[in-house]
Amino acid sequence: EQRTLSTRGAPVGDGGRGASLTVGDTAPPQLVERAFDSAIGVIRRQEVHGVSASCPRDVPGRRHVRRAQVAAVINNGDMSRWSVADAPSLSGRTALVTGATSGLGLETAVALASRGARVLVAGRDAGRTDAAVARASGAAAEGGSAEPLALDLASLASVRAAVDEVRARLDALDVLVNNAGIMAPPFATTEDGFETQIGTNHLGHFALTAGLMPLLLAADAPRVVNVSSAAHRMGSLQPDDLHYEN
């Protein structure tokens, strides 16, 4: 019996060789790959809503997925036709974006404000944070806004101060986007003694998320988005030596 899971035209079904994720009957392979890279949060074999899923064998660069929610809107297999204008109104919702002074973080803050959200723009440099706030505010739709939040994820004291500040400003937090990150810095440690990249990218965000959890749970439909990259495919984790001391 065929099992299916449909997500805006992307059914997951069991074709006899194990369940396969297909994106549109006529979508070329490169669009399927793009949909995978955009929509799948965790790579390698797991389950999507209880259905074991993998990309069809005839698609280059097959991926196995594990307990991942399809996060992107797939319009007949063509991601190129989706834009921020297709996102629903976020009026009345509040979001916090880390690393929001440049790159994906800045664009995320601008996009959320443009859909009517109140956006807390988190950054460690006051000047760059203010510039990002100005840009997001300029793009804000009616009801949308942007405001700065001082946050240095390499410092647990800064994380605690930011959590206290957010708790003072908000009764609930709808969206937390853990986007900030550094890549391959020279070896150093944070003021708390953690290796810099582990301390900033992982432990700082963990502490931030934990501290904001009461506000997230107070929202009607809270969401935490952890931004990652393809770098995990090239490296490995050494749990016995997280801080590269040996």
Side-chain angles (χ1 to χ4, degrees), residues 22-231:
T22 58
V23 185
D25 294 336
T26 61
Q30 63 267 31
L31 290 182
V32 178
E33 280 296 282
R34 189 190 308 170
F36 256 77
D37 289 340
S38 299
I40 303 306
V42 184
I43 305 301
R44 296 177 184 169
R45 193 162 189 82
Q46 278 189 23
E47 295 181 341
V48 178
H49 292 294
V51 180
S52 179
S54 63
C55 192
R57 294 181 181 276
D58 57 347
V59 174
R62 291 183 294 129
R63 300 286 185 266
H64 294 292
V65 298
R66 31 189 305 185
R67 277 194 311 192
Q69 293 280 351
V70 175
V73 175
I74 300 173
N75 294 316
N76 297 321
D78 188 352
M79 293 292 295
S80 66
R81 291 189 291 177
W82 189 91
S83 72
V84 174
D86 294 309
S89 171
L90 296 175
S91 178
R93 298 194 179 189
T94 303
L96 190 160
V97 184
T98 71
T101 59
S102 64
L104 287 175
L106 175 58
E107 295 304 323
T108 298
V110 170
L112 291 170
S114 75
R115 302 310 296 161
R118 176 185 178 183
V119 183
L120 276 63
V121 178
R124 59 183 174 176
D125 182 278
R128 295 179 64 192
T129 301
D130 288 343
V133 167
R135 181 176 165 190
S137 297
E142 183 176 356
S145 64
E147 58 197 76
L149 176 69
L151 173 65
D152 181 357
L153 288 160
S155 165
L156 291 181
S158 176
V159 172
R160 292 188 189 98
V163 167
D164 289 342
E165 177 65 22
V166 175
R167 286 177 172 175
R169 294 189 205 179
L170 306 179
D171 295 322
L173 179 63
D174 298 281
V175 179
L176 172 60
V177 182
N178 289 325
N179 164 79
I182 57 177
M183 175 63 183
F187 179 80
T189 58
T190 69
E191 64 183 47
D192 301 292
F194 307 132
E195 187 277 324
T196 304
Q197 187 162 326
I198 286 286
T200 301
N201 296 10
H202 301 280
L203 303 182
H205 275 129
F206 181 87
L208 179 69
T209 304
L212 295 176
M213 192 59 65
L215 293 179
L216 288 161
L217 294 177
D220 291 335
R223 179 164 298 184
V224 175
V225 179
N226 293 315
V227 179
S228 184
S229 75

